[in-house]
Structure formats: structure tokens, C-alpha cells
Amino acid sequence: MRLVILENAEAVADFACGYFVDHLKEQPKSVLGLATGSSPVALYQRLVGANQRGEVSFKDVTSFNLDEYIGLSGDHAQSYRYFMNDKLFDHIDIDKTRTHVPNGAADNPNAECARYEQSILDAGGIDLQLLGIGVNGHIGFNEPLSSLASRTRVKTLTKSTIEANSRYFDADEFQPTDAITTGIGTILDSKEVLLLATGANKAEAVRGCVEGPVSAACPASALQMHQHAVVVVDEDAASLLSMKEYAQWAEQRHIELEQA
């Protein structure tokens, strides 16, 4: 696992944008795994700018989002399909027919899970998977106690996740308690993983992800088993790491060796 500790959230978004742009220049037909939530928003703003300036193209990209709420159709303002259209897809040169989000309004959610998992396999798997991390260590909607070998499935959200996401819903608005999510095993099959975390509220989760035991208690800790995982955090999110200084030294050496 490569751990990159940067000064602030703006620097994290800048790094992630550069990572995506470099990746797409090398692999313009990439299959991208995309995420929602607060962490990717600044990244998506930068990618929109880079695309509109002609620095990167998405015209040959295929994308798969991690998850979607059960009970919300794609045109619902709180659905993740709506989020992706609003924050990214509507503003870049991507073919929307090649952008995939689980159908939260499917009549048979379990069948939708199987279909979605197979669609990822049919596309050749994910080349670069973007992740955020929940305060309880979840990735996607793989809550604590999720199987580390899990595949796309229906998952009931924890109370802490529901409370954390309640800020996006009006007081009298229906808020789903279940979601379709790609599994931890599906995520680990990605060729590359880029996880972003900012803010002191993510510090405990980051510590569990990077330094804790590999355990279903912190689903993100499964990334320790990935051969090409990059975790990018700001100083606040890194504040509880016991090996912070070593991580910074190792990253410095990584840069020096790449430039040699």
C-alpha cells in the first residue's frame, strides 16, 4: 500500500486529478470504478476542468459506480445516478450509455446485483477504482462485518452511515436504509485502487485501514492485501497514524526513485 499524506483537502484533490489524468493518457479506454459522497466532489470538479481544457478525454471510457440506494430511481435528486450526472457526466465528453450505476429501483434487487457484477466482468474488470472511506471504515456500502470476499449484493446500512448521510435528505423525505453495493472482493479485483480521505473525522478509519489488522471490523483494511492501492489523505485524516513519519519518508523516496 502506498500512503500519500498531503497538507490539505485541496492538495488531495489535485493529486487525485493528476493521477486520473495520467492514467487516462496511458489507458484512454479504461474501465473506471467511480464513487459518490463528499470526498470525490473536488476531484470531479478538477476532472471537468481538465476535460474542458482538452487535457484529458473520457470519450472511450467505461465507468461503473460502486453503489446505489434501494428505492430511488435514477432521476431522484438523492440517487447516485443523479449525483454522477450532476457532478461529472453532464460536463465531460463521456458516452453516457457506457456509464453504469446499479438500478436502485429494480423490481428484483438481488437479480440486479448479479447482473451488475456480471457487467463488470464482461467489461474486463475495473482498471482504476476510486474510493472514499466512511467514518466506520466502510468502502462502497460495505459496512463493518462485510465479508472480505463479498460480491455485488444488497447491504443494509448501519445507523452511523444513515445518520451521516441524513444531511442530504430533507426531514420529511424518504431516506433509504438499504443499498446495492459492489463487494469488497469485487473492489480487490480492480487493477488499481485510489482511496481519498480528508478531515479529522476520518482519522480513526484511516488508521484502521492503513495500520489496523485486516478485519471485517474495518472493511477498508482489506486494501492492505491489494497489490496496487494508493491511499491519499490530508494531515487531519493522518493525525492518528503511529507511522506517519515513516510513510512520509517512504513517499519521498518513492518520488526520488521515480525521478532517477
Side-chain angles (χ1 to χ4, degrees):
M1 178 185 288
R2 178 185 172 192
L3 176 61
V4 181
I5 301 172
L6 301 171
E7 182 178 1
N8 52 40
E10 294 297 304
V12 169
D14 289 341
F15 180 98
C17 181
Y19 196 98
F20 264 79
V21 169
D22 289 346
H23 176 88
L24 290 174
K25 286 180 177 178
E26 291 184 8
Q27 301 181 50
K29 296 182 178 181
S30 279
V31 179
L32 299 179
L34 299 177
T36 54
S38 57
S39 296
V41 172
L43 164 61
Y44 291 156
Q45 290 171 344
R46 285 159 172 76
L47 288 175
V48 168
N51 178 246
Q52 293 180 353
R53 291 190 299 270
E55 297 169 6
V56 68
S57 175
F58 294 83
K59 66 183 180 64
D60 294 320
V61 164
T62 300
S63 71
F64 288 89
N65 262 74
L66 284 166
D67 42 32
E68 178 62 281
Y69 287 117
I70 290 179
L72 299 187
S73 61
D75 58 357
H76 190 286
Q78 303 306 331
S79 74
Y80 287 159
R81 163 56 76 177
Y82 188 99
F83 177 101
M84 292 305 303
N85 288 345
D86 181 56
K87 303 299 184 186
L88 185 64
F89 299 151
D90 284 348
H91 312 289
I92 58 175
D93 62 343
I94 199 166
D95 179 354
K96 276 196 184 178
T97 66
R98 294 168 64 177
T99 65
H100 305 278
V101 182
N103 180 8
D107 292 334
N108 186 335
N110 289 322
E112 171 63 8
C113 292
R115 182 202 67 79
Y116 200 74
E117 181 78 20
Q118 187 60 50
S119 295
I120 294 173
L121 294 174
D122 291 345
I126 304 296
D127 293 308
L128 173 57
Q129 176 67 62
L130 175 67
L131 296 174
I133 185 171
V135 294
N136 62 3
H138 74 236
I139 47 177
F141 272 136
N142 294 286
E143 300 281 26
L145 304 186
S146 292
S147 166
L148 302 187
S150 55
R151 296 290 166 177
T152 304
R153 69 208 186 287
V154 172
K155 191 68 181 175
T156 296
L157 308 181
T158 62
K159 289 183 179 179
S160 66
T161 297
I162 294 169
E163 289 170 2
N165 291 348
S166 64
R167 66 188 186 275
Y168 300 116
F169 294 85
D170 293 334
D172 58 349
E173 186 177 13
F174 166 69
Q175 181 180 355
T177 57
D178 305 278
I180 293 173
T181 184
T182 54
I184 297 174
T186 312
I187 291 169
L188 292 179
D189 280 348
S190 305
K191 297 177 182 68
E192 297 181 48
V193 174
L194 182 67
L195 184 147
L196 311 181
T198 59
N201 66 320
K202 298 295 179 70
E204 187 173 350
V206 167
R207 178 173 62 180
C209 170
V210 175
E211 296 182 345
V214 176
S215 167
C218 179
S221 66
L223 296 180
Q224 295 176 33
M225 300 186 293
H226 198 282
Q227 292 187 359
H228 198 162
V230 182
V231 176
V232 188
V233 301
D234 66 2
E235 288 280 355
D236 288 339
S239 60
L240 297 181
L241 294 174
S242 63
M243 297 190 70
K244 178 181 174 182
E245 290 185 5
Y246 171 72
Q248 292 171 315
W249 162 245
E251 177 61 16
Q252 180 183 332
R253 289 295 298 138
H254 173 85
I255 294 171
E256 291 171 350
L257 291 169
E258 279 199 333
Q259 294 175 345

